[in-house]
């Protein structure tokens, strides 16, 4: 092993392992396996054209040198992004901790109670501060959350409003520019007419179903919206408010004035700016909309013993499960960032947040009075942290400020806004005022005013308490919070404990060298709207990452803006839509989608204004060519796109893929390839070669951004030449194509900070390492397939009997023993493993994907566990359900209880194989009762004794 070669650290299989694995699979070499797996006509003829691989040490030196090209100014631009202070205890114990950042989405609740509690804290914090009844567990960013509010309110319109031919949505001119751009993107395909104007002069005409307000406004003005909300109610209009979460510590919460939805970002609760993300947005609403709210909700239920347990509530309501009936395609969240924001509130508590908010507000008032003493007019009559100032010439002020290392928000030639923040000190205030002194050539001293005037009317001051729950009033020392976070972490199974073999989700190693740059201030403290020349390091990284992803996919260009895989799907379809419109083919609105596709695919198509036509799959799991031919011919004149996952969702490289894509092109359509399974393509084939026109890539899967318990994710799109002009833009910083569609996410380059991870992954692996990673992923999957042969049936394979990088095993035959696939998933917990993907894409199955970063010993432990479980299944009987699988998982409390009334031993329950005892992971609750929790929906932290019926 070459010790400084990253590939040797990332790829788990060693050269000495190959003979055993190849023999088990029944091939002479890896190349033979690849030839039997991937159709020859789509294999790449030459290696990827990427820069030479770096060692980990070289990469860290390189990324540090690039960071020094960024200019970290004191930035007061605001517009929804503010510098904040990440408490070191949170940075070290969450952001830099693989126990938190390598966990998967908490679908298996029994081994995710820590994350679920942290998210419940987040939801409680949001409900308290907004005074709303219900909050989800985070969304992608404030702008997309606002767009989700617009579409949710569209979906819940009263029946009479749904009859209106013209559907209108009012948007206050105080709304952030990036949010307005998102609303324009989302409204167009749905036929919603946006009306932008002044809320004070707005005429409540017929046809309006809702409105969006900003509180405080984009340049800081705090408006009293009570009259507007009251009039809206009289007209049966629903109202959403985008708000600053820190301001609600001092301001009357929107929920108290009767609004229907409150959205915003929790970025200023300890989350680095990161040149735009990732940050956890929030979405709070009334309980009446609990079955319409986008994203995930964490709720309380009970386990088998009647003890409190948490899980994702209303799972059957998740939007992507509704497929083409969905009003949102949300499939992920910003869990890691929501956990951090919730921990920030836990650490500071209500008094700490009041102290921070008061400091910010005091400094804003102080600055306003100092500038007015210098002769400048401050325009905001009421404000929290942002003032708006008239100046003779913003160009001169910009020049002065930049020389002092300061960024303001220059609105026009005579107006500037300044947003102070948690990190703003008195010295910073003096430096700001010195810029204005220089502008006016004043010799006035920067004296501190003796009396600071109140600027928020008494009627708009908060009067209700918040964060009264015990969790927000218990952990205010570092020792206390460190132990609390460790207590939560111990309840969660993450990659630092064992392999997570999730099909379609590619839970691979998130290398420490890739993660370390996220903690560097020169990457974390860059506002997304700073001048480009202040972000030279970022620009180099982002351009290089775009180039590398373009090379890997074989396309012509890339946009990094989408900040989730589902958002990438939507972005890809919107570029296709724009392409057709540019050619006058406005009528092309049919999107063909295989029945086996991810649920987000049809949801994204509907959001993009397309009609979904489903095509069948055959007995081998491939697209039914005859059915596809029929559907294409029927809809030829109106065909917009085909959405296809490759290799298929069934884990097979379909040999007819080029015929499929050619058929679509022959009928005027474009081909969108879902990049969920790109881990089986990199370096061996690519989307361009199979004939696709656009694909999204899950950087949180194939390119090693951590799942973080359900986010962050990044879903860039790569496009062919004809789609380049339509790549998404941004209203503040120019990006995208010549005919750019409006924004897909709030920041110009989406979640830029975590793009550093994928950049490092590619740079350290290089062309050879990336290609070998793909080969080993396919090797590992086929090794597991053959080891489980005879014990479990694999549903689908390629023409030569090979799996791609994942496979589906059929658990339906075990019903004769009274065993369901869920029982196998829960029993795997006793063996120390997270279950593979359950019942997707086929009900009653497990989809297994080992990835390339697992070693042979771990693969064997997993196979041993599955084979042992099969033996337990054979001993089970539907007539005697009191068995190991039905009672799984077994907790420490069960095994150590004086009473043991089960027909098997404690050792069989908790230590079924010798390896388990070496590193035992204990589920913290028994099997959760999903139905009980949905009937008794509790989604905030209220004392257990108030609601728990055992």
């Amino acid at each position: 092993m070459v010790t400084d070669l990253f590939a040797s650290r990332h790829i788990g299989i060693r050269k000495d392992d190959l003979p055993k694995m190849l023999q088990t699979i029944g091939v002479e070499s890896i190349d033979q396996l690849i030839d039997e797996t991937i159709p020859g006509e789509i294999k790449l003829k030459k290696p990827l054209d990427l820069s030479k691989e770096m060692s980990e040490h070289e990469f860290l030196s390189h990324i540090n040198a690039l960071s020094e090209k960024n200019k970290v100014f004191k930035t007061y631009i605001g517009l929804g992004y503010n510098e904040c202070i990440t408490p070191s205890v949170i940075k070290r114990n969450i952001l830099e901790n693989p126990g938190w950042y390598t966990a998967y989405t908490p679908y298996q609740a029994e081994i995710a109670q820590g994350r679920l509690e942290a998210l419940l804290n987040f939801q409680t914090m949001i409900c308290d501060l907004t005074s709303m009844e219900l909050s989800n567990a985070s969304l992608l960013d404030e702008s997309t959350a606002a767009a989700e509010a617009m579409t949710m309110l569209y979906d819940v319109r009263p029946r009479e409003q749904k009859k209106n031919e013209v559907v209108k949505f009012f948007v206050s001119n105080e709304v952030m520019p990036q949010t307005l751009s998102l609303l324009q993107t989302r409204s167009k395909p749905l036929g919603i007419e946006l009306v932008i104007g002044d809320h004070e002069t707005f005429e409540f005409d017929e046809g309006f179903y809702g409105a969006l307000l900003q509180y405080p406004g984009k340049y800081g003005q705090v408006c009293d919206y009570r009259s507007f909300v009251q009039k809206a109610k009289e007209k049966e209009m629903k109202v959403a408010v985008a708000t600053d979460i820190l301001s609600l510590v001092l301001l009357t919460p929107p929920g108290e004035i009767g609004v229907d939805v409150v959205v915003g970002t929790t970025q200023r609760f300890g989350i680095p700016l990161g040149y735009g993300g990732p940050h956890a947005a929030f979405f709070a609403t009334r309980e009446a909309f609990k079955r319409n709210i986008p994203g995930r909700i964490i709720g309380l239920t009970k386990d088998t013993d009647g003890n409190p347990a948490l899980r994702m509530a209303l799972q059957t309501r998740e939007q992507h499960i509704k497929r083409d009936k969905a009003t949102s395609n949300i499939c992920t969240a910003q869990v890691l960032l929501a956990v951090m924001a919730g921990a920030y509130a836990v650490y500071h508590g209500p008094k700490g947040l009041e102290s921070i908010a008061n400091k910010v507000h005091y400094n804003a008032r102080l600055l306003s009075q100092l500038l007015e003493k210098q002769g400048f007019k401050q325009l905001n009559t009421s404000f929290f942290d942002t003032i708006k100032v008239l100046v003779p010439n913003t160009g001169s002020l910009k020049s002065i400020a930049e020389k002092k290392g300061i960024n303001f928000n220059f609105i026009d030639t005579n107006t500037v806004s300044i947003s102070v923040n948690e990190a703003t000190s008195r010295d910073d205030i003096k430096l700001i005022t010195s810029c204005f002194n220089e502008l006016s050539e004043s010799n006035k001293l920067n004296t501190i005013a003796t009396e600071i005037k109140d600027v928020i009317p008494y009627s708009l001051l908060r009067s209700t308490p918040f964060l009264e729950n015990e969790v927000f009033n218990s952990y205010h020392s570092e020792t206390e919070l460190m132990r609390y976070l460790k207590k939560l972490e111990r309840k969660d199974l993450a990659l630092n404990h064992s392999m997570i073999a999730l099909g379609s989700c590619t839970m691979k190693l998130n290398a420490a060298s890739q993660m370390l740059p996220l903690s560097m201030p020169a990457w974390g403290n860059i506002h997304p709207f700073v001048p480009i020349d202040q972000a030279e390091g970022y620009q180099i990284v982002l351009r290089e990452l775009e180039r590398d992803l373009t090379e890997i996919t074989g396309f012509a260009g890339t946009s990094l803006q989408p900040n989730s895989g589902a958002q990438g799907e939507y972005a890809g379809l919107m570029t296709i839509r724009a392409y057709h419109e540019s050619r006058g083919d406005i009528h092309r609105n049919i999107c063909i989608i295989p029945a086996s596709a991810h649920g987000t695919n049809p949801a994204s198509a509907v959001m993009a204004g397309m009609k979904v036509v489903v095509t069948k799959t055959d007995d081998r799991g491939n697209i039914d060519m005859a059915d596809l031919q029929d559907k294409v011919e029927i809809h030829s004149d109106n065909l917009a796109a085909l959405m296809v996952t490759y290799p298929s969702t069934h884990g097979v490289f379909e040999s007819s893929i080029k015929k499929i894509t050619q058929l679509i092109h022959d009928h005027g359509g474009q081909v969108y390839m879902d990049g969920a399974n790109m881990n089986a393509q990199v370096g061996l084939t690519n989307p361009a070669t199979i004939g696709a026109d656009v694909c999204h890539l899950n950087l949180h899967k194939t390119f090693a951004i951590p799942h973080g318990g359900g986010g962050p994710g990044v879903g860039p799109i790569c496009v062919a030449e004809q789609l380049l002009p339509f790549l998404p833009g941004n209203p503040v910083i120019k990006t995208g194509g010549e005919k750019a569609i409006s924004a897909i996410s709030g920041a110009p380059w989406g979640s830029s900070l975590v793009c550093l991870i994928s950049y490092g992954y590619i740079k350290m692996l290089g062309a050879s390492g990336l290609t070998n990673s793909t080969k080993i992923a396919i090797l590992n999957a086929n090794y597991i397939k053959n080891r489980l042969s005879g014990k479990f049936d694999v549903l689908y394979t390629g023409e030569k009997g090979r799996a791609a990088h994942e496979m589906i095993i059929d658990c339906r035959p075990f019903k004769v023993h009274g065993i369901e696939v869920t029982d196998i998933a829960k029993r795997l917990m006793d063996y120390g493993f997270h279950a593979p993907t359950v019942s997707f894409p086929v009900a009653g199955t497990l989809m297994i994907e080992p990835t390339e970063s697992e070693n042979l010993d771990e693969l064997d432990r997993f196979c041993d566990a599955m084979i042992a479980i099969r033996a337990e299944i054979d001993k089970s009987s539907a007539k005697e359900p009191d068995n190991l699988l039905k009672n799984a998982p077994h907790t420490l409390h069960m095994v150590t209880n004086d009473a043991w009334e089960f027909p098997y031993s404690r050792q069989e329950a908790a230590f079924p194989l010798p390896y388990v005892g070496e590193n035992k992971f204990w589920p913290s609750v028994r099997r959760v009762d999903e139905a009980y929790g949905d009937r008794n929906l509790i989604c905030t932290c209220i004392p257990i004794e108030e609601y728990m019926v055992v």
Side-chain angles (χ1 to χ4, degrees), residues 434-506:
S434 73
C435 295
F436 286 82
N437 277 345
E438 194 170 329
L439 180 68
S440 62
E441 297 181 352
S442 170
N443 293 319
K444 294 179 181 177
L445 297 175
N446 289 320
T447 55
I448 302 299
T450 55
E451 184 180 347
I452 303 299
K453 299 175 185 175
D454 291 332
V455 296
I456 300 175
Y458 181 77
S459 61
L460 288 180
L461 288 174
R462 184 179 192 111
S463 60
T464 51
F466 59 93
L467 303 187
E468 293 183 294
N469 191 269
E470 183 180 1
V471 72
F472 299 107
N473 295 279
S474 300
Y475 307 108
H476 302 324
S477 75
E478 179 167 340
T479 306
E480 290 167 333
L481 185 67
M482 176 182 68
R483 289 174 181 160
Y484 175 62
L485 294 175
K486 190 65 181 178
K487 171 187 162 187
L488 298 185
E489 181 194 339
R490 282 200 304 265
K491 296 180 180 182
D492 284 13
L493 190 148
L495 274 178
N496 63 340
H497 189 277
S498 61
M499 174 173 73
I500 302 178
L502 288 154
S504 188
C505 281
T506 317

Side-chain angles (χ1 to χ4, degrees), residues 29 98 169 196 202 230 352-353 356 396 503 740 764 901 921:
S29 66
F169 187 76
I196 303 150
F202 171 66
Q230 182 59 40
L353 291 184
I356 293 167
S396 298
M764 287 189 284
E901 300 174 352
F921 179 88

Side-chain angles (χ1 to χ4, degrees), residues 125-134 213 215 223-226 229-230 233 239-245 247-249 251-263 282-287 460-465:
M125 171 188 82
I126 298 302
C127 288
D128 279 8
L129 287 170
T130 61
S131 286
M132 298 299 285
E133 297 167 343
L134 188 67
L213 310 171
Y215 180 69
C223 298
D224 187 342
Y225 290 121
R226 281 174 289 200
V229 172
Q230 182 59 40
K233 281 189 172 185
V239 179
V241 172
T243 190
D244 179 326
I245 193 70
S247 75
L248 299 186
V249 173
L251 298 176
T252 299
E256 292 183 14
I257 64 171
V259 306
D260 301 282
V261 182
V262 184
V263 300
F282 61 87
F283 189 111
T285 188
R286 295 192 278 114
E287 192 166 348
L460 288 180
L461 288 174
R462 184 179 192 111
S463 60
T464 51

Side-chain angles (χ1 to χ4, degrees), residues 200-230:
E200 292 186 347
T201 58
F202 171 66
E203 296 290 335
F204 291 82
D205 300 330
E206 295 297 323
F208 284 93
Y209 74 89
L212 177 69
L213 310 171
Q214 189 86 40
Y215 180 69
K218 61 185 175 183
Y219 302 133
Q221 178 67 34
V222 175
C223 298
D224 187 342
Y225 290 121
R226 281 174 289 200
S227 174
F228 181 94
V229 172
Q230 182 59 40

Side-chain angles (χ1 to χ4, degrees), residues 114-161:
R115 240 168 316 132
L116 290 165
E117 181 174 329
L119 291 174
L120 194 72
N121 293 343
F122 175 87
Q123 290 177 181
T124 303
M125 171 188 82
I126 298 302
C127 288
D128 279 8
L129 287 170
T130 61
S131 286
M132 298 299 285
E133 297 167 343
L134 188 67
S135 166
N136 68 15
S138 78
L139 289 181
L140 301 175
D141 63 16
E142 179 177 323
S143 298
T144 52
E148 294 291 341
M150 176 185 72
T151 53
M152 188 194 83
L153 296 179
Y154 173 80
D155 188 47
V156 301
R157 287 169 296 155
R159 185 174 299 176
E160 288 303 311
Q161 286 187 358

Side-chain angles (χ1 to χ4, degrees), residues 1-209:
M1 181 178 76
V2 182
T3 57
D4 65 348
L5 194 64
F6 177 71
S8 68
R9 303 297 191 182
H10 173 74
I11 297 173
I13 301 302
R14 298 285 167 250
K15 187 176 181 180
D16 293 345
D17 300 327
L18 292 179
K20 174 186 174 180
M21 299 182 73
L22 296 173
Q23 182 180 7
T24 301
I25 295 169
V27 292
E28 296 293 325
S29 66
I30 294 181
D31 288 339
Q32 180 189 344
L33 173 63
I34 299 303
D35 289 341
E36 294 178 3
T37 304
I38 302 178
E41 67 171 340
I42 64 168
K43 287 181 68 178
L44 297 180
K45 302 296 188 283
K46 59 180 182 179
L48 296 172
D49 181 17
L50 301 173
S51 56
K52 187 179 183 300
E53 69 271 8
M54 300 178 187
S55 70
E56 293 184 69
H57 176 70
E58 288 171 335
F59 171 71
L60 288 172
S61 297
H62 165 75
I63 203 73
N64 187 61
L66 285 181
S67 76
E68 293 174 357
K69 293 181 180 291
N70 293 326
K71 300 173 184 175
V72 184
F73 282 21
K74 284 287 185 178
T75 297
Y76 307 103
I77 293 173
L79 294 179
Y81 301 93
N82 295 274
E83 185 181 352
C84 62
I85 298 170
T86 305
S88 297
V89 62
I90 293 175
K91 181 178 177 182
R92 174 57 57 90
N93 290 285
I94 300 177
L95 180 63
E96 299 176 344
N97 183 350
W100 286 99
Y101 67 69
T102 69
Y104 180 57
T105 306
Y107 285 110
Q108 298 296 333
E110 296 84 356
I111 52 175
Q113 289 295 299
R115 240 168 316 132
L116 290 165
E117 181 174 329
L119 291 174
L120 194 72
N121 293 343
F122 175 87
Q123 290 177 181
T124 303
M125 171 188 82
I126 298 302
C127 288
D128 279 8
L129 287 170
T130 61
S131 286
M132 298 299 285
E133 297 167 343
L134 188 67
S135 166
N136 68 15
S138 78
L139 289 181
L140 301 175
D141 63 16
E142 179 177 323
S143 298
T144 52
E148 294 291 341
M150 176 185 72
T151 53
M152 188 194 83
L153 296 179
Y154 173 80
D155 188 47
V156 301
R157 287 169 296 155
R159 185 174 299 176
E160 288 303 311
Q161 286 187 358
K162 289 183 178 180
K163 295 177 182 178
N164 294 340
E165 291 184 12
V166 179
V167 181
K168 294 188 284 187
F169 187 76
F170 174 73
V171 183
S172 167
N173 52 23
E174 290 288 337
V175 163
M176 303 292 181
Q178 67 271 24
T179 297
L180 176 58
S181 187
L182 256 295
L183 296 174
Q184 291 166 340
T185 307
R186 294 283 188 92
S187 62
K188 185 178 178 183
L190 298 176
I192 299 170
E193 179 185 338
L194 294 185
V195 176
I196 303 150
D198 186 338
H199 75 277
E200 292 186 347
T201 58
F202 171 66
E203 296 290 335
F204 291 82
D205 300 330
E206 295 297 323
F208 284 93
Y209 74 89

Side-chain angles (χ1 to χ4, degrees), residues 522-703:
W523 295 114
N525 288 341
I526 305 293
H527 191 288
F529 299 148
V530 299
I532 292 290
D533 63 358
Q534 290 180 26
E536 184 182 348
Y538 261 118
Q539 287 297 312
I540 292 171
V541 166
L542 299 174
R543 283 197 303 268
E544 275 290 296
L545 182 56
E546 288 175 353
R547 193 202 78 82
D548 289 348
L549 295 178
T550 300
E551 168 65 16
I552 288 166
T553 57
F555 282 133
T558 295
S559 169
L560 296 171
Q561 192 176 119
N563 52 19
S564 81
Q567 207 175 79
E569 292 176 11
Y570 179 67
L573 291 174
M574 289 299 286
T575 60
I576 289 174
R577 177 189 170 100
Y579 166 75
H580 286 311
E581 289 180 348
S582 74
R583 294 160 55 88
D585 292 337
I586 300 172
H587 57 282
R588 289 194 174 272
N589 67 343
I590 298 296
C591 185
I592 296 178
I593 302 177
S596 62
H598 291 86
T600 52
N601 284 184
S604 296
V606 170
M607 283 176 56
M610 298 181 184
K611 295 180 179 179
V612 174
V613 172
V614 178
T615 188
K616 299 176 184 175
T617 53
D618 62 23
D619 293 340
R620 299 178 63 86
N622 299 324
I623 292 174
D624 187 316
M625 280 298 294
D627 186 56
L628 178 65
Q629 181 87 38
D630 290 345
K631 299 280 172 61
V632 168
E633 290 179 359
I634 290 170
H635 300 286
S636 179
D637 292 343
N638 298 314
L639 182 61
L642 167 75
M643 296 186 82
V644 61
T645 302
Y646 200 74
S648 73
T649 310
H650 293 143
V652 175
F653 282 95
E654 298 184 44
S655 58
S656 58
I657 188 63
K658 293 192 77 168
K659 293 179 182 177
I660 291 169
T661 56
Q662 188 59 53
L663 175 65
I664 301 302
H665 290 148
D666 289 345
H667 288 265
Q670 296 281 284
V671 176
Y672 165 89
M673 193 205 87
D674 186 314
N677 293 340
M678 194 68 192
N679 208 43
Q681 285 198 44
V682 178
L684 301 179
T685 183
N686 63 38
T689 298
I690 70 170
D693 300 288
V694 54
C695 76
H696 89 268
L697 300 173
N698 295 102
L699 298 193
H700 49 291
K701 295 181 182 180
T702 304
F703 296 95

